[in-house]
């Protein structure tokens, strides 16, 4: 088990060390669950009161907070405790599961596929015709990559993920377990005889940029024509739906259970809260935020925060909720 002195951790973080502890730090933990061998963090003044009773021997705090370390305890002041804790987590991050052989003999790889140097392909994977894998791609067991798809360097694809045909995936992406890329978009029209529904062919693909991370059981559907596009640096949580022909700009965030209907456009840096739903053909401009559980039925201006159902300016919605609460109390 890895362990570090408080000085070694402070050297990494380049913070201001106050106090000292002789305890070797064996990992990070939440403030109220920590033991003596843990380091914890405080990013807000409302949690300062819990430090006294915490068993942690060290804590990271934002540099605008004041905290006395106590006996055989240390405080490291940093600009951003959340980001500093991310560096500490990297120190103690266990290694990924190991491959006994780079390409497992049970993997099925089409003879026309091009496999880059240093790729790892686990048991029962399928790599189809004319697939291109860049250097250092990792496919964990039971991944399927269908025909004519390309995956960029150092992308990691976890078990159960299916990437359908003709998709284009960038470099340094992470797809967690059971992600679906390129399934048919949801397109139907009433049949001519009025007795059923006619499926609309979905002949486009999905294009995903670099450094994109997609959480478990999330789906990105292929376009009816052209492409569904996920921009560089987007981070998508578990159980998220991105429908056909949607376009996400760079560094967007979508929290769990949120969804984009067909042909939604997000600008750069848009944040979608958990369980929020975005109506089809809607544009949410760069830097806008959608509160959790909201339903967006119209375009959202750049930098604006909207909330509620139907979503509107967050300040107006909060005023309405306060007014309604007062009426109920009367």
């Amino acid at each position: 088990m890895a362990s570090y002195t408080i000085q070694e951790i402070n050297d990494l973080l380049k913070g201001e060390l106050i106090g000292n502890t002789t305890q070797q730090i064996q990992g990070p933990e939440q403030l109220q669950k920590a033991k003596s061998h843990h380091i914890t963090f405080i990013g807000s003044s409302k949690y300062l009161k819990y430090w006294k009773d915490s068993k942690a021997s060290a804590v990271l705090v934002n540099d605008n907070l004041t905290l006395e370390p106590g006996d055989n305890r240390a405080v490291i002041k940093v600009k951003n405790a959340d980001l500093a804790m991310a560096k500490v987590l990297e120190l103690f991050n266990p290694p990924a599961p190991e491959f006994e052989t780079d390409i497992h003999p049970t993997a099925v790889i089409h003879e026309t596929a091009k496999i880059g140097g240093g790729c790892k392909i686990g048991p029962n994977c399928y790599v189809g015709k004319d697939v291109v894998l860049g250097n250092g791609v990792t496919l964990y067991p039971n991944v399927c990559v269908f025909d004519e798809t390309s995956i960029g360097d150092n992308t990691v694809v976890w078990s159960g993920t299916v990437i359908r045909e003709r998709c284009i995936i960038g470099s340094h992406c992470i797809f967690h377990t059971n992600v679906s890329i390129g399934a048919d978009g949801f397109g139907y029209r009433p049949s001519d005889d009025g007795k059923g529904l006619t499926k609309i062919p979905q002949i486009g693909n999905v294009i995903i940029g670099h450094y994109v991370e997609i959480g478990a059981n999330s789906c990105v559907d292929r376009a009816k024509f052209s492409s569904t596009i996920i921009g560089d640096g987007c981070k998508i949580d578990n159980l998220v739906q991105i429908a056909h022909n949607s376009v996400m700009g760079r560094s967007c965030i979508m929290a769990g259970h949120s969804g984009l209907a067909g042909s939604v456009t997000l600008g750069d840096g848009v944040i979608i809260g958990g369980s929020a739903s975005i109506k089809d053909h809607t544009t949410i401009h760069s830097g806008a935020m959608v509160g959790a559980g909201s339903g967006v039925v119209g375009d959202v201006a750049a930098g604006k925060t909207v909330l509620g159902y139907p979503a509107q300016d967050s300040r107006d919605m909060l005023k309405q909720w306060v007014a309604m609460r007062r009426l109920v109390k009367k």
Side-chain angles (χ1 to χ4, degrees), residues 108-178:
V108 176
I109 302 174
H110 195 277
E111 61 183 6
T112 61
K114 297 179 181 179
I115 311 299
C119 288
K120 298 182 184 298
I121 302 176
N124 301 313
C125 287
Y126 173 76
V127 179
K129 181 181 178 183
D130 294 324
V131 166
V132 177
L133 302 184
N135 297 325
V137 171
T138 298
L139 306 182
Y140 281 99
N142 301 307
V143 168
C144 291
V145 183
F146 284 92
D147 300 3
E148 300 178 40
T149 286
S150 65
I151 300 179
D153 295 348
N154 301 307
T155 285
V156 176
V157 184
W158 285 90
S159 296
T161 293
V162 176
I163 304 175
R164 287 274 302 273
E165 61 276 12
R166 303 189 310 279
C167 292
I168 301 171
I169 312 298
S171 300
H172 301 279
C173 295
I174 302 172
F175 299 156
H176 292 279
T177 50
N178 299 319

Side-chain angles (χ1 to χ4, degrees), residues 33-326:
K33 293 183 178 180
K35 304 299 182 184
S36 61
H37 57 273
H38 287 135
I39 185 171
T40 188
F41 75 106
I42 297 175
S44 169
S45 60
K46 66 181 180 180
Y47 296 109
L48 291 174
K49 60 186 178 182
Y50 298 116
W51 170 243
K52 181 179 178 181
D53 294 325
S54 175
K55 294 181 172 59
S57 55
V59 60
L60 308 176
V61 299
N62 288 348
D63 56 14
N64 63 337
L65 302 178
T66 300
L67 192 65
E68 291 298 323
D71 186 41
N72 197 30
R73 303 174 93 191
V75 173
I76 298 178
K77 284 194 168 187
V78 291
K79 184 176 181 180
N80 187 310
D82 285 324
L83 293 178
M85 180 54 75
K87 293 181 178 180
V88 173
L89 286 164
E90 285 290 343
L91 278 180
F92 295 98
N93 191 16
E98 294 183 1
F99 284 69
E100 292 184 358
T101 179
D102 284 351
I103 299 179
H104 197 273
T106 62
V108 176
I109 302 174
H110 195 277
E111 61 183 6
T112 61
K114 297 179 181 179
I115 311 299
C119 288
K120 298 182 184 298
I121 302 176
N124 301 313
C125 287
Y126 173 76
V127 179
K129 181 181 178 183
D130 294 324
V131 166
V132 177
L133 302 184
N135 297 325
V137 171
T138 298
L139 306 182
Y140 281 99
N142 301 307
V143 168
C144 291
V145 183
F146 284 92
D147 300 3
E148 300 178 40
T149 286
S150 65
I151 300 179
D153 295 348
N154 301 307
T155 285
V156 176
V157 184
W158 285 90
S159 296
T161 293
V162 176
I163 304 175
R164 287 274 302 273
E165 61 276 12
R166 303 189 310 279
C167 292
I168 301 171
I169 312 298
S171 300
H172 301 279
C173 295
I174 302 172
F175 299 156
H176 292 279
T177 50
N178 299 319
V179 165
S180 171
I181 305 294
D184 285 1
F186 191 65
Y188 299 90
R189 290 293 181 270
S191 59
D192 289 339
D193 60 12
K195 296 181 179 179
L197 296 172
T198 298
K199 181 177 173 63
I200 306 300
Q202 308 289 298
I203 66 171
N205 71 341
V206 173
I207 298 175
I208 295 178
H210 307 304
Y211 294 95
V212 172
E213 186 163 358
I214 301 180
N217 297 296
S218 290
C219 301
V220 183
D221 290 346
R222 70 174 52 250
K224 179 165 65 175
F225 34 69
S226 188
S227 302
T228 303
I229 299 173
I230 311 295
D232 292 349
C234 287
K235 310 301 179 187
I236 298 167
D237 199 359
N238 302 336
L239 297 165
V240 170
Q241 163 67 14
I242 298 172
H244 60 96
N245 289 97
S246 287
V247 175
M248 296 175 64
R250 295 173 298 172
S251 300
C252 295
I253 295 173
M254 293 187 65
H257 286 271
S258 60
L260 309 182
S263 299
V264 168
T265 300
L266 304 185
D268 296 339
V270 171
I271 298 175
I272 308 293
S275 298
S277 301
I278 317 300
K279 181 182 177 294
D280 59 291
H281 297 275
T282 297
T283 298
I284 301 178
H285 292 276
S286 295
M289 299 177 63
V290 177
S294 300
V296 177
V297 298
D299 292 355
V300 178
K304 191 172 184 179
T305 298
V306 296
L307 184 64
Y309 192 95
Q312 56 185 290
D313 183 272
S314 58
R315 292 166 296 183
D316 293 340
M317 179 57 71
L318 290 170
K319 289 176 183 177
Q320 289 182 34
W321 287 346
V322 169
M324 290 177 64
R325 184 176 298 174
R326 288 172 178 168

Side-chain angles (χ1 to χ4, degrees), residues 3-13 24 76 91:
S3 66
Y4 299 88
T5 67
I6 193 63
Q7 188 61 58
E8 288 172 329
I9 292 175
N10 190 53
D11 288 344
L12 169 70
L13 302 178
Q24 287 284 119
I76 298 178
L91 278 180

